[in-house]
Amino acid sequence: MTTQHPADPTVTAADAGRRTDGWWRDAVIYQVYPRSFADANGDGMGDLEGVRGRLPYLRELGVDAVWLSPYYASPQADAGYDVSDYRVIDPMFGDLADAERLIADAHGLGLRVIADLVPNHCSDQHAWFRQALREGPGSPLRSRFHFLPGKGADGELPPNDWESIFGGPAWTRTANPDGTPGEWYLHLFAPEQPDFNWDSRAVADEFRSVLRLWLDLGIDGFRIDVAHGLVKAAGLPDIGLHDQLRLLGNDVLPFFDQDGVHEIYRDWRLVLDEYGTDPATRRIAVAEAWTPTVARTANYLRPDELHQAFNFQYLGTAWDAGKLRAVVDLTLDAMRPVGAPATWVLSNHDVVRHLTRLGAGLDREQDLRRARAATLLMLALPGSAYVYQGEELGLPEVLDLPDSLRQDPAFTRAKGTGAEGQEGMRDGCRVPIPWSGTEAPYGFGPLPGGPSWLPQPAEWAKLSVEAQTGDRDSTLELYRAAIAARRAHPALGAGDSVEWLEELPTGVLGFRRTAAGQEFVCTANTAEQPVLIPAPGRLLLASTPVTVVEDELLLPADTTVWWAV
């Protein structure tokens, strides 16, 4: 009889060897949302010094790289995704010296740093846009955005029927310098976020310059926000849809996933390759590309374009064995022809945390069981995995934030009209994470009882890093063990295929992988009841305590088990 939960790997992820064919291909990348990660100066808002001080925690967790959400100068109309200056750190996060120290310390710990880049739109406080407004129609600066006269006798109607992802029309009318009604400008998101016109050479030149600035400072890569949105169809045609648009859907839209975006990324790839092509040190780019199919996503990853793209189809898949198998097959089949690694992700700063999303209304303990099982399944798949801050603590979505404290522009835009885009509920996954202590802000800031830009639930005291460290049954220790085991076992993470196990009970997903002469098996029970399965090998790790008796395992519901064969 063998009982195990979880295993004690013989090496740590941070100290194990690295791949030689591309560090990113099986990397575990941790997303830091800076305003909610750690607050060094006590003002209630996370900052770069706070991130720098917590880098040893990330090394101990075992991740390979840190992706930072935007820290650029911004009025914060959309939490930094409205950039007013791509070359300046926003004072709320620190300054350029802080960024340089963070990058240097991360590299000293063996961690790479990936910066968020926002090329689809900027802030309405960007110098270009402000000058374009001041100078009025005919200004050369207006060609860097989408300014158009309106329809109707007096231009009182928007130029077309496009809607904002955040709700309401995608156009806002300006006033001329003399105060009369003027042209309209395009913003696929908030009015404070005017879209760039990528037909303008000045825009392309500016972003090549921005890329080189941050690469010169040591950034290891970029996550490209709205990578699918830069190019709009010629003539900006109407679409005729009346339902609220979503980032991910099956519709072919004239402002998303246009073929012209690929020329931009081929150009960017040349810039990245200027900084070296050694797979161990290559600078990379990751696309946030919400496309109708995984096959369309693969277009961004051709050998002369980008290196990774987020797999939103997997993120949106229910906890169901058949559906999960189908999306895994679709993903691997799409990535293989372009030679790109698959990516797997369960949570990020724009979606409901997967503990709550996959829980489907179950109680807290059941929700946690399912989230842990989903995590082990994700980390077993071939390719790269992304972890969103706090998921390693088993944090749930905060669903009861007062309306008065919410800052998501999708929540306030057109509120009460039924036109809220993105459901307007992104604040719930952005609540600052708990580090230590029994009183808010739980070590997020330097002082007990200090401020926090969003309130943390009282029960989070039990979920802090301090409370979970050393607790063998905690979610944090499960993540640490899983990431370490993933690095230690050659058949975990690497490669581009799985061998499905066919003779398993309904609701159980299982696959085998082989590398360097070693075999690995993953079995996940997505059903609502335990099932008896043969033990395929030595128990390596389990998302909940399990017991093997006479080479058989009663696999509990919502449980994933890793096996060394």
Side-chain angles (χ1 to χ4, degrees), residues 18-360:
R18 294 294 189 257
R19 295 173 59 97
T20 59
D21 61 342
W23 66 266
W24 65 93
R25 299 190 68 88
D26 67 347
V28 178
I29 300 173
Y30 186 97
Q31 181 188 358
V32 166
Y33 192 69
R35 60 167 54 201
S36 298
F37 191 65
D39 170 21
N41 63 12
D43 65 356
M45 190 70 66
D47 45 47
L48 294 185
E49 275 295 287
V51 177
R52 188 167 76 97
R54 297 295 187 176
L55 290 174
Y57 165 77
L58 297 179
R59 185 191 186 281
E60 185 178 358
L61 185 60
V63 301
D64 299 285
V66 181
W67 153 34
L68 297 168
S69 291
Y71 46 68
Y72 311 105
S74 167
Q76 303 294 319
D78 184 24
Y81 284 92
D82 51 317
V83 180
S84 57
D85 192 332
Y86 293 86
R87 293 174 170 81
V88 174
I89 304 293
D90 193 281
M92 71 186 296
F93 296 127
D95 57 28
L96 199 59
D98 293 326
E100 291 180 295
R101 286 192 293 268
L102 191 160
I103 294 167
D105 283 9
H107 289 169
L109 291 169
L111 297 168
R112 292 176 171 86
V113 181
I114 296 173
D116 222 315
L117 191 62
V118 189
N120 178 72
H121 50 262
C122 63
S123 166
D124 62 356
Q125 300 304 303
H126 191 285
W128 287 0
F129 190 77
R130 294 178 67 183
Q131 185 176 342
L133 290 180
R134 287 195 304 269
E135 294 181 353
S139 167
L141 272 295
R142 293 207 171 196
S143 66
R144 301 177 187 184
F145 303 93
H146 294 277
F147 280 91
L148 286 175
K151 293 181 178 179
D154 298 310
E156 72 277 9
L157 300 175
N160 66 22
D161 65 356
W162 294 2
E163 289 183 322
S164 163
I165 300 301
F166 287 171
W171 296 90
T172 291
R173 195 172 193 183
T174 66
N176 291 323
D178 64 3
T180 60
E183 294 178 320
W184 298 70
Y185 69 89
L186 176 68
H187 51 86
L188 291 181
F189 295 88
E192 297 88 352
Q193 296 169 288
D195 278 43
F196 284 116
N197 179 4
W198 274 85
D199 290 335
S200 166
R201 178 172 295 182
V203 173
D205 290 345
E206 169 69 359
F207 275 92
R208 277 193 296 270
S209 175
V210 169
L211 289 172
R212 290 190 175 98
L213 167 71
W214 291 103
L215 290 167
D216 287 342
L217 287 173
I219 286 292
D220 299 287
F222 300 94
R223 178 264 190 187
I224 305 168
D225 184 64
V226 196
H228 58 303
L230 277 56
V231 172
K232 280 67 174 177
L236 310 186
D238 286 342
I239 57 177
L241 296 178
H242 300 290
D243 294 332
Q244 172 59 47
L245 296 174
R246 297 287 183 260
L247 278 172
L248 185 61
N250 296 320
D251 298 311
V252 177
L253 299 170
F255 46 77
F256 281 164
D257 196 30
Q258 297 291 303
D259 289 339
V261 300
H262 300 290
E263 186 60 36
I264 297 170
Y265 298 131
R266 282 189 284 271
D267 187 46
W268 285 18
R269 180 60 176 264
L270 295 174
V271 174
L272 291 167
D273 287 353
E274 292 173 10
Y275 290 80
T277 57
D278 182 342
T281 57
R282 183 188 285 270
R283 315 294 182 92
I284 71 163
V286 184
E288 183 208 27
W290 297 83
T291 63
T293 66
V294 180
R296 291 291 297 181
T297 301
N299 290 339
Y300 293 76
L301 307 176
R302 289 173 284 204
D304 60 345
E305 294 190 42
L306 307 178
H307 301 83
Q308 287 186 344
F310 291 130
N311 188 345
F312 294 115
Q313 281 79 10
Y314 183 80
L315 183 151
T317 301
W319 181 241
D320 174 273
K323 293 177 181 177
L324 288 164
R325 174 169 173 170
V327 76
V328 169
D329 280 340
L330 280 172
T331 299
L332 296 176
D333 289 347
M335 297 299 114
R336 207 172 292 117
V338 295
T343 65
W344 314 100
V345 61
L346 292 169
S347 289
N348 65 35
H349 66 293
D350 280 334
V351 300
V352 172
R353 286 187 177 275
H354 71 270
L355 184 147
T356 300
R357 189 179 71 252
L358 296 179

